Amino acid sequence: MRARTMCKSGAVGLATGAVVLTLVAPGGAADGDLGDHGFGRMGPPTARTTAVSPSSGPDFEMPFQCGQSWTGSSRSGHSPSYYTIDWNRQDDLGKPALASAPGVVTRAVSLTGSYGRYVIVDHGGGYTTLYAHLNQIASTVGQVVDQGDLIGYVGTSGNSTGPHLHYEQRLKGAYFAPYFHRSRYTMGTTRSSANCNDKPVVGDWTGDGKADLGVYRTGRTVGQWRQRRGSATTVFSWGRPGDMPIVGNFGGDRKDEVGIRRLGKIDFLLRSAEGKGISMSAGRSTDVPLAGDWDGNGRSEIGVYRQSTRQFHLKLLRSNGRWTIITWGGSGQQPVSGDWNKDGRSDVGTFNVTNGTWTLRVPSGGSYTTRRFVFGRAGDRPVTGDFNGDKVDDVAIWRPSNATFYQRVSKSGGGFTSKQVAFGLRR
C-alpha cells in the first residue's frame, strides 16, 4: 500500500483568502453548519468531545461499498479532533463515499482550503457525519439519503496532502470515539465495510392484483432481490452494490418487474419477465429514481425526483415519450408514487423521514387536492402498493431497526387497518 495521505497538519481555521465556490444551506444559515461543524472549520485539535455508547446511537457503517477494505488513521494533532478519521486504500482516488446511516443532507460546500468539497448528513437525535476533501459532490442539500447511498467521490480538495476521505461523527457538535457496526473503531486498523443492507421494495410479483413485499439486498459483488410470495421467498440476483432499486409493471403483463439505477449514473437497467436487461437513461445522477403508470396505458414508466428544484420528472410513453414536470415536496422528504384515486394513473407524493408525515397529491378534475397524514416515525423508509386489491394504492413503511413492514390498508367501509410483517435483515 502506498503511503497514507491525510489532512495537512496545522490547518487552523479558514485559509486567508479562501473562496466559497458553492454553498447551499437550509434556513439560510450562512455562518455555521448545522451540527456545529463550523463553516469549513479545520480548527485546532481542542474540539469539544463527549462519550457515546455504540449501542445507543445510529447504526453507523463504514462510508464505503459493501466488502471494501479501508484503513483509517488519526494522530494526536489531527484537526479538528483525534476522533476524526482519514481513510485510505491503494486505489482510493475517485472511489464512492457513501452515507454511514440514513439521514438528510444539510450541507454541500466547496472551499479552496480547509475541508475542500464536503457534505454533512443529519441523522437525527443530534447525530451528524461529515465527508470531506471530496473530488466531487454527488448529493444536494435537503436530499434524503439511506445508508449506503452516494454522497460523493474520494478526492484531495482543500487542505489535503493526497487522496483520502476525511470523516467525522458528532453528537450535537461534540466529537466522540467513532464506531461502526456497533463496535468501536481502532485507529490504524484495516476493516472491511459492512455497509451491506436491505432496502424495502413492494410489487405485485404474482399478477393477482395485490402488492407483495420484498427487499433489495446489497452484497459484496451483486445485488440480491428477495420477494415474499405467500409463505415462500423467491431469491435472484440483479444489480450491483450501491445500485438503487425500482419496481414497476414495465411489460404491461400485470406482474411487476424489477430494475436498478446504477450508482452515481443516469443509467437504468430494467429486468424483463424473461430475465433480460433493458437499458435506458434519464435525469441527473443526483436524482432519485421511481416508477409509475403516469399516463394510464397499463405499463409503468420511469421517473425521477430532483431535490434541488423539488420537481418530479415523469416520462409519459402514451404521449410519444414526452416528460411532464410536477413541483411537489420539500427538504427532508422522500418521493413516492401510487394511484391514490383509482383512476388507473400513478400520482406522486412525499414522505417526511424526520417525522413520518405523508403528503399525497391527489388529482381532482383539472386540479388536485392534498392529502396529509402521519404514519410511521423518524428513520422509517416509505413504500406504497395495493395491498388489498381494491385498485387504490396504500402506504406502508419499513423500519430498519426491526426489519418490519407496517402497512396502512384502506377498508371497504371506510377507515384503515394496520398490519405488520417482518421481512428482511434488521440494521
Side-chain angles (χ1 to χ4, degrees):
M1 178 178 290
R2 62 175 168 76
R4 294 174 188 163
T5 48
M6 57 191 65
C7 310
K8 287 182 180 179
S9 299
V12 179
L14 280 173
T16 302
V19 178
V20 180
L21 303 178
T22 305
L23 174 60
V24 281
D31 58 353
D33 294 328
L34 300 183
D36 285 342
H37 285 274
F39 180 47
R41 178 178 176 274
M42 294 275 291
T46 56
R48 185 163 53 91
T49 61
T50 189
V52 168
S53 170
S55 63
S56 63
D59 174 29
F60 289 124
E61 299 293 351
M62 289 171 56
F64 305 108
Q65 287 180 270
C66 177
Q68 285 188 353
S69 293
W70 288 74
T71 303
S73 61
S74 190
R75 58 194 185 282
S76 59
H78 196 187
S79 174
S81 169
Y82 172 78
Y83 288 147
T84 61
I85 304 174
D86 283 344
W87 291 104
N88 280 106
R89 61 177 281 163
Q90 184 66 33
D91 54 348
D92 47 18
L93 181 62
K95 282 288 185 288
L98 311 182
S100 284
V104 179
V105 176
T106 58
R107 206 74 171 173
V109 177
S110 293
L111 301 173
T112 56
S114 189
Y115 285 129
R117 297 182 184 92
Y118 73 98
V119 172
I120 295 174
V121 178
D122 184 350
H123 305 286
Y127 286 91
T128 57
T129 51
L130 179 145
Y131 312 75
H133 302 313
L134 298 172
N135 181 45
Q136 179 184 347
I137 293 173
S139 48
T140 60
V141 167
Q143 179 181 340
V144 175
V145 291
D146 197 1
Q147 187 177 66
D149 283 355
L150 184 64
I151 295 296
Y153 297 91
V154 176
T156 184
S157 60
N159 288 337
S160 168
T161 63
H164 71 287
L165 179 68
H166 174 97
Y167 172 86
E168 303 180 3
Q169 294 177 358
R170 290 204 198 185
L171 174 59
K172 297 180 180 178
Y175 293 93
F176 54 87
Y179 67 88
F180 303 102
H181 208 61
R182 298 297 181 191
S183 65
R184 300 277 188 209
Y185 179 71
T186 302
M187 297 294 185
T189 61
T190 300
R191 282 176 56 170
S192 179
S193 174
N195 206 332
C196 321
N197 55 42
D198 283 359
K199 296 182 184 295
V201 293
V202 167
D204 183 355
W205 314 131
T206 62
D208 66 353
K210 296 182 180 180
D212 308 298
L213 306 177
V215 294
Y216 176 73
R217 182 166 298 171
T218 297
R220 293 174 180 267
T221 57
V222 298
Q224 184 186 83
W225 293 80
R226 304 180 69 85
Q227 299 174 342
R228 187 176 186 269
R229 307 185 182 201
S231 59
T233 300
T234 299
V235 181
F236 59 91
S237 297
W238 187 260
R240 298 187 299 226
D243 289 342
M244 299 184 71
I246 58 171
V247 173
N249 180 15
F250 303 113
D253 59 357
R254 298 185 179 180
K255 293 183 181 180
D256 282 329
E257 291 87 38
V258 304
I260 52 89
R261 178 80 175 271
R262 290 295 187 201
L263 177 68
K265 306 292 184 182
I266 64 171
D267 305 315
F268 288 79
L269 184 61
L270 311 180
R271 184 179 187 267
S272 70
E274 297 77 25
K276 298 180 180 179
I278 304 170
S279 299
M280 60 183 66
S281 301
R284 301 172 181 171
S285 61
T286 54
D287 292 339
V288 180
L290 68 159
D293 184 0
W294 316 123
D295 52 14
N297 68 350
R299 298 177 60 182
S300 293
E301 296 91 28
I302 60 173
V304 296
Y305 182 69
R306 189 160 297 162
Q307 182 63 59
S308 59
T309 57
R310 301 175 184 178
Q311 290 178 331
F312 286 85
H313 294 246
L314 313 175
K315 191 170 188 178
L316 284 72
L317 295 182
R318 178 173 287 180
S319 303
N320 298 318
R322 72 177 179 84
W323 292 83
T324 187
I325 298 176
I326 298 174
T327 301
W328 194 257
S331 179
Q333 298 182 9
Q334 188 165 350
V336 296
S337 63
D339 185 351
W340 317 134
N341 60 357
K342 205 175 180 175
D343 67 353
R345 302 186 182 202
S346 294
D347 312 306
V348 301
T350 57
F351 174 77
N352 192 319
V353 298
T354 66
N355 59 21
T357 299
W358 296 76
T359 307
L360 309 182
R361 184 182 187 274
V362 186
S364 178
S367 185
Y368 65 87
T369 60
T370 300
R371 187 181 304 162
R372 183 177 287 109
F373 55 89
V374 175
F375 186 75
R377 65 190 190 195
D380 290 340
R381 319 312 295 175
V383 289
T384 62
D386 182 4
F387 298 114
N388 59 1
D390 66 354
K391 301 187 185 303
V392 176
D393 282 326
D394 306 296
V395 305
I397 57 91
W398 186 76
R399 189 157 293 160
S401 60
N402 60 7
T404 298
F405 286 88
Y406 296 82
Q407 302 170 356
R408 181 182 186 266
V409 183
S410 57
K411 297 190 295 185
S412 57
F416 300 89
T417 183
S418 296
K419 180 181 179 181
Q420 62 186 68
V421 181
F423 192 74
L425 294 178
R426 64 182 297 273
R427 298 183 191 171

